[in-house]
Amino acid sequence: MKSNSFISSTIAIAMVILASSILAQNPKPLPKPSPSEIRVLPFCGTKKDLKIDPKTKGIFNELSVTKSGRIRIHGTKQDDSGRINGEVVYHIGKIALIPTDDRTGKLVAKLGSQQSVRRYFVALEMEDKLQTEEVTLTEGKIYDWSVKSENGNTTLKITAGQAEVAMITAPTAQVKGAGFAVTLRFTKNKADLEVEFD
């Protein structure tokens, strides 16, 4: 009897350890960022590393960002140009920044990249600047994106199947957020980028 009880206890303990191991390897996906966790800033394609305070007096305000279960950066450019510290700038729009938790998702540009018209960027946010890379997106094509922190670095990557489309990496200790940006050049140019979360 004691032998059977010992075996049963040992099996039960082993099952608990196995279940814990499986849960550790397959954690629950993170909840989608709440609208309050998604920060929106003005963004300029010709000063793409500049983190612009939206409260800056006289700063441009082009494009709209919706943040309900996904991110959508969209709209029609209203003004030909904007100003940053008195300097006239043209490739302007918005950037949406999310927390840097490990997560994945999909994105699609309903209007594709077009040089000197419509440009898309991915970014890592530092304390006082952005680290960015322009990404060429084909109209209507669905891309995968991921943010992952490992070995002391945080990486934001865009892929199409097995092909890497864009990737930026920075030391995790310096990274405050990850993001997606859109700029337009001329009045009446349009953009529409959707970013979904898994």
Side-chain angles (χ1 to χ4, degrees):
M1 294 287 283
K2 286 183 179 179
S3 177
N4 286 343
S5 177
F6 175 76
I7 291 170
S8 295
S9 296
T10 304
I11 291 172
I13 290 168
M15 294 296 285
V16 168
I17 292 170
L18 179 62
S20 297
S21 175
I22 290 169
L23 284 172
Q25 292 175 8
N26 301 299
K28 287 184 177 179
L30 285 171
K32 295 176 182 180
S34 67
S36 64
E37 291 178 300
I38 300 169
R39 292 171 296 117
V40 178
L41 306 177
F43 183 80
C44 177
T46 53
K47 295 183 178 293
K48 58 187 182 177
D49 294 336
L50 183 64
K51 191 160 82 168
I52 303 169
D53 185 342
K55 296 177 183 175
T56 301
K57 187 175 180 180
I59 200 66
F60 54 84
N61 182 25
E62 293 285 354
L63 301 181
S64 297
V65 180
T66 54
K67 314 182 279 186
S68 179
R70 61 179 176 157
I71 296 169
R72 183 179 176 215
I73 307 173
H74 59 100
T76 302
K77 192 164 187 277
Q78 301 299 313
D79 296 311
D80 179 64
S81 61
R83 288 184 179 271
I84 298 175
N85 298 325
E87 181 182 347
V88 177
V89 290
Y90 297 97
H91 294 267
I92 54 180
K94 288 275 179 20
I95 185 167
L97 296 161
I98 60 173
T100 54
D101 306 300
D102 287 4
R103 60 173 77 242
T104 60
K106 301 196 179 301
L107 64 83
V108 60
K110 294 186 177 179
L111 297 166
S113 298
Q114 189 175 344
Q115 196 61 33
S116 295
V117 174
R118 184 182 312 105
R119 300 166 68 191
Y120 298 102
F121 299 81
V122 290
L124 291 177
E125 177 194 16
M126 311 302 178
E127 183 64 38
D128 59 354
K129 67 177 184 176
L130 300 170
Q131 181 176 319
T132 63
E133 182 175 330
E134 187 168 356
V135 54
T136 300
L137 301 177
T138 301
E139 183 173 328
K141 185 171 183 174
I142 298 173
Y143 297 85
D144 294 301
W145 65 268
S146 64
V147 176
K148 189 170 182 63
S149 296
E150 59 183 353
N151 302 321
N153 289 313
T154 296
T155 301
L156 171 56
K157 187 185 292 187
I158 308 293
T159 56
Q162 298 299 313
E164 183 181 294
V165 179
M167 183 181 79
I168 48 175
T169 300
T172 298
Q174 298 176 23
V175 178
K176 294 184 61 180
F180 308 88
V182 182
T183 66
L184 296 171
R185 168 60 184 90
F186 296 104
T187 304
K188 298 186 180 178
N189 288 164
K190 297 177 183 291
D192 196 341
L193 178 70
E194 290 191 0
V195 180
E196 301 278 352
F197 299 95
D198 288 337

